[in-house]
Amino acid sequence: AQKVTQAQTEISVVEKEDVTLDCVYETRDTTYYLFWYKQPPSGELVFLIRRNSFDEQNEISGRYSWNFQKSTSSFNFTITASQVVDSAVYFCALNTGFQKLVFGTGTRLLVSP
Amino acid sequence: EAGVAQSPRYKIIEKRQSVAFWCNPISGHATLYWYQQILGQGPKLLIQFQNNGVVDDSQLPKDRFSAERLKGVDSTLKIQPAKLEDSAVYLCASSFPGLSYEQYFGPGTRLTVT
């Protein structure tokens, strides 16, 4: 069975702090894709990144970076120098066969000025 | 490029009433999904269409929920009769076929059942 665990329910930081959101996944499939989505207060889920199971290279996009480690089944997300606009709920998701996307329970990030 | 459209944005009904939600996916996206997101939880897939055929409806409560995508473009999700526990946000998403493609989500319909 596929499962995604986001153990951090809510994180509060002050602007300009760095913050890491944890994601641990479970699957027996060898081919799979991992995703991060952002859900701002407006409610719409916004795609941030996709990573396939054969590519463990870390990725950086501006203030965002992602660390994928198959050895620990983790796909963590770091925001550097956080800003108030980063306040949202962040979801990690796993997609294996048949395109069924399984989401974690989300981490609510609150960035205060 | 236009995103995924959904309507209505909000709906309040009494239990045992019926309700329908509409979704228009991004042009060219053959795959369409309906998710249910209960407050404080991640979205849960209800049904997935590939063109106008159902790929996965294993988590759809078929005694009360139904969905269709007759012409392979827009889709309707219906609940009849509604229960209190159906209160949630119903999200529609679309993508190109294939598990590597990201799904694009609409703004959702917030349903409150009283």
Side-chain angles (χ1 to χ4, degrees):
Chain A
Q2 283 70 241
K3 185 179 178 182
V4 175
T5 300
Q6 294 180 257
Q8 303 152 310
T9 304
E10 185 170 307
I11 301 175
S12 293
V13 299
V14 177
E15 214 170 13
K16 298 183 183 177
E17 285 186 21
D18 298 347
V19 58
T20 295
L21 310 181
D22 298 333
C23 171
V24 175
Y25 63 93
E26 295 176 32
T27 180
R28 293 182 179 177
D29 292 311
T30 56
T31 301
Y32 53 88
Y33 285 79
L34 293 161
F35 300 80
W36 276 95
Y37 283 85
K38 175 182 180 180
Q39 189 172 42
S42 61
E44 192 164 334
L45 280 154
V46 177
F47 165 75
L48 295 178
I49 190 171
R50 169 187 57 238
R51 174 66 68 215
N52 76 55
S53 52
F54 300 106
D55 181 4
E56 287 194 70
Q57 198 169 20
N58 291 332
E59 184 159 336
I60 298 174
S61 176
R63 297 184 297 106
Y64 295 170
S65 62
W66 291 269
N67 182 288
F68 176 32
Q69 293 194 335
K70 288 179 72 172
S71 60
T72 56
S73 297
S74 65
F75 186 41
N76 296 337
F77 172 31
T78 297
I79 301 175
T80 302
S82 60
Q83 299 176 2
V84 173
V85 293
D86 295 328
S87 296
V89 180
Y90 291 86
F91 290 97
C92 180
L94 168 69
N95 199 344
T96 59
F98 305 107
Q99 302 169 240
K100 188 169 183 175
L101 197 60
V102 175
F103 285 85
T105 51
T107 297
R108 180 178 299 278
L109 175 64
L110 299 172
V111 182
S112 56
Chain B
E1 177 182 290
V4 176
Q6 288 188 249
S7 67
R9 291 296 312 277
Y10 305 92
K11 191 74 176 179
I12 301 173
I13 62 172
E14 295 182 352
K15 59 183 179 183
R16 291 187 289 274
Q17 286 187 326
S18 63
V19 64
F21 313 128
W22 174 82
C23 172
N24 192 39
I26 291 173
S27 177
H29 282 186
T31 310
L32 184 147
Y33 315 79
W34 282 102
Y35 289 88
Q36 180 192 58
Q37 186 177 20
I38 292 173
L39 187 65
Q41 299 181 18
K44 182 185 80 171
L45 181 69
L46 292 175
I47 189 167
Q48 176 185 333
F49 291 94
Q50 182 90 351
N51 296 308
N52 59 354
V54 175
V55 174
D56 184 347
D57 63 356
S58 57
Q59 299 190 97
L60 186 74
K62 299 180 185 64
D63 58 335
R64 298 182 301 104
F65 285 65
S66 64
E68 59 184 15
R69 194 184 184 199
L70 293 176
K71 297 182 179 179
V73 180
D74 57 351
S75 175
T76 302
L77 176 70
K78 297 180 182 178
I79 307 175
Q80 182 179 9
K83 292 185 175 181
L84 295 177
E85 58 260 37
D86 298 331
S87 294
V89 176
Y90 291 85
L91 295 162
C92 179
S94 69
S95 74
F96 291 112
L99 67 87
S100 68
Y101 290 100
E102 64 271 23
Q103 297 177 21
Y104 291 88
F105 286 79
T109 297
R110 183 176 298 276
L111 174 67
T112 301
V113 182
T114 62

